[in-house]
Amino acid sequence: MRGRLVAGNWKMHGNRVANRALLDAVVAEIGGLEGVECALCVPYPYLGQVAERLADTPLAWGAQNLSEHAPGAFTGEVSAAMLAEFGCRYVIVGHSERRQLFAETDRLVAAKFAAVLGHGMRPILCLGETLEERDAGRTDQVVERQLQAVLNSNEKDSFKQAVVAYEPVWAIGTGRTASPRQAQAVHAFLRQKLLPETRILYGGSVKAANATEIFAMPDVDGGLIGGASLVAGEFTAIVRAAQGKG
Ligand code: PEP
């Protein structure tokens, strides 16, 4: 019932030449996708380049952030309408780097989530605990609080379109991955609060070498991939693992 999704998060990486090589290699490897959806969430300046290269391929693209506001006097911000105009299908909201480095609150994340949906795109809502919170036995409480803030101002039905990404903060960019059982436990907890059709991705140092065992968990519906999405061979191997061909 829930199709798998593998989404790349390029973070603040890339340049036009390197992007071109990466996109060409990814399209060549997984241009004909079956049994899995694939999206690349890229820095704003490259949306035009990525949209042009991925047009007429089955790969989707998206952004990593947006403004919660409608267009107006908000210097330096990017609206949902602008991203929709670029053909974005997905927008990441609430990534832990934005929560931690840019002080994004649960309420702000909820407003951004609504802005994405309001423009016909799909939010990828990131939730996850720090190591300190996990060690204190507060993982469920933290992800529940983060999710509830979104549910307070958005219909539960919005999770027919929206995607959730469970990303333990201690596993992001650290090379440390949650064990498949740890990931499954949190995904199953979140599943009870969502809809049966909501896709819940795992993110946190997913690589070709560990993707198959993580994707084998019954409540893991794919991955949000940071560092490994910048390496064509790694990323395409992760997509193949999600297809069950890893
Ligand atoms: C991310 O940025 O969402 C992420 C999961 O990064 P990494 O795969 O590098 O841990």
Side-chain angles (χ1 to χ4, degrees), residues 32-47:
L33 274 174
E34 271 167 32
V36 65
E37 202 187 340
C38 183
L40 299 176
C41 296
V42 306
Y44 298 137
Y46 301 133
L47 278 171

Side-chain angles (χ1 to χ4, degrees), residues 17 28 37 40 73 75 78 81 85 89 97 119 127-128 141 166 172 176 181 183 198 206 209 215 218:
V17 172
E37 202 187 340
L40 299 176
T75 301
V78 171
E85 199 180 10
R89 189 179 304 165
E97 287 154 16
H119 285 80
L127 313 172
Q141 197 186 322
Y166 168 56
I172 296 179
R176 224 183 126 180
R181 285 180 57 177
T198 307
V206 177
F215 295 159

Side-chain angles (χ1 to χ4, degrees), residues 150-214:
V150 172
L151 287 169
N152 287 346
S153 52
N154 293 272
E155 300 280 325
K156 192 169 178 181
D157 264 9
S158 59
F159 283 91
K160 285 182 180 161
Q161 276 80 43
V163 176
V164 170
Y166 168 56
E167 298 210 307
V169 178
W170 48 272
I172 296 179
T174 58
R176 224 183 126 180
T177 319
S179 70
R181 285 180 57 177
Q182 283 174 319
Q184 169 58 26
V186 180
H187 283 228
F189 174 76
L190 290 169
R191 172 83 60 217
Q192 299 162 22
K193 303 182 183 305
L194 294 164
L195 301 170
E197 62 262 52
T198 307
R199 287 182 293 185
I200 308 178
L201 313 183
Y202 170 78
S205 298
V206 177
K207 318 181 247 310
N210 59 23
T212 299
E213 57 174 15
I214 294 171

Side-chain angles (χ1 to χ4, degrees), residues 85-102:
E85 199 180 10
F86 269 99
C88 288
R89 189 179 304 165
Y90 292 97
V91 185
I92 297 172
V93 296
H95 192 281
S96 64
E97 287 154 16
R98 298 222 52 92
R99 292 180 190 262
Q100 292 196 320
L101 303 174
F102 302 96

